[in-house]
Amino acid sequence: MKTFATVWALAGLLLSGGIATAQPAKPTIVLVHGAFADSSSWYGVIPILQRDGYAVIAAANPLRSVKGDAETVRALLASINTPVVLVGHSYGGVVISNAANGQTNVKALVYVAAFAPDVGETADDLNKKFPGSLVGPALAPPVPLPGGGHDLYVRQDRFHDAFAPDVPADAAKLAAAAQRPVTDIAFSEHATEPAWKTTPSWFVYGDHDTAIPPKLHAFMAERAHPRATSVVEGASHVVMVSHADAVAKVIEDAATSR
């Protein structure tokens, strides 16, 4: 009798909704940093996402070539067994546009002060489309590489103004010393068919970006037809550092979208 009673009790719970059905897993957030930076540029955003229950991976972007960098990120995406929100900052936007192609688990793309190139475009060409970028004139002399090409650095004495004017000078000085170079090959490599044409996208950038002109951000966002575009007043190119809450909100909006 006890066994029958247990069965009937379970049946009653199921009929009444007393046993919760399994909820789909939250997306994993994959963050891809840009040039002259590393994964520490996401340190303000990561704790917010983790607090809200998201698994987060800050991918190491090699900054060597668009194709090679995208393949590195694509291999990471293939190892994740949940849906993914793929986020790119600056040059990282070029990388995610390529890396998400063919990855069925990528449910959304988020461009954080990022390049969103169309097929055949380069980051260098895009940044010359509108005036206002201070990065080009702030570059140090290129460093020749043994296998060809050059590493590019932002001059440390120009880093604050060109890249991160809305963070404390001491923080910008630290970031300038620790910056990771990008190759001229990566900046001049033509983009392939971008994933933003088939995958829902979100854009967020600052209206005081001195690295990628705000007019360029607006141009790229408009043609991508994103679900939403957020312009953060007073924010620089490192909007995810100076306005981590605003950037995390856009990422979570993408994560909870249907």
Side-chain angles (χ1 to χ4, degrees), residues 42 45 49 87 110 112 204-205 232 238-241 243-252:
W42 298 110
V45 171
L49 298 174
V87 185
V110 181
V112 179
V204 55
Y205 62 90
V232 183
V238 292
V239 59
M240 70 290 188
V241 176
H243 295 76
D245 285 343
V247 171
K249 182 184 184 305
V250 173
I251 294 171
E252 293 192 8

Side-chain angles (χ1 to χ4, degrees), residues 116-119 121 126 129 196 216 218-226:
D118 202 346
V119 61
E121 293 177 338
L126 276 172
K129 193 173 185 69
W196 52 256
L216 176 57
F219 166 79
M220 292 185 293
E222 183 177 358
R223 72 176 179 182
H225 303 292

Side-chain angles (χ1 to χ4, degrees), residues 99-133:
N101 281 326
Q103 292 302 132
T104 57
N105 61 336
V106 177
K107 66 165 288 184
L109 301 169
V110 181
Y111 292 86
V112 179
F115 290 110
D118 202 346
V119 61
E121 293 177 338
T122 72
D124 187 50
D125 289 343
L126 276 172
N127 222 28
K128 294 173 180 175
K129 193 173 185 69
F130 295 94
S133 175

Side-chain angles (χ1 to χ4, degrees), residues 4-82:
F4 281 112
T6 301
V7 170
W8 282 112
L10 287 171
L13 283 170
L14 287 169
L15 289 171
S16 65
I19 295 179
T21 56
Q23 297 297 310
K26 281 189 171 185
T28 298
I29 312 298
V30 176
L31 307 168
V32 180
H33 66 81
F36 316 117
D38 60 20
S39 291
S40 67
S41 59
W42 298 110
Y43 281 3
V45 171
I46 292 171
I48 300 171
L49 298 174
Q50 291 177 330
R51 179 199 66 200
D52 293 341
Y54 291 95
V56 183
I57 301 173
N61 187 357
L63 306 178
R64 301 293 86 188
S65 70
V66 174
K67 183 175 184 293
D69 298 343
E71 287 175 349
T72 297
V73 173
R74 190 177 297 115
L76 172 62
L77 297 174
S79 74
I80 300 172
N81 59 6
T82 67

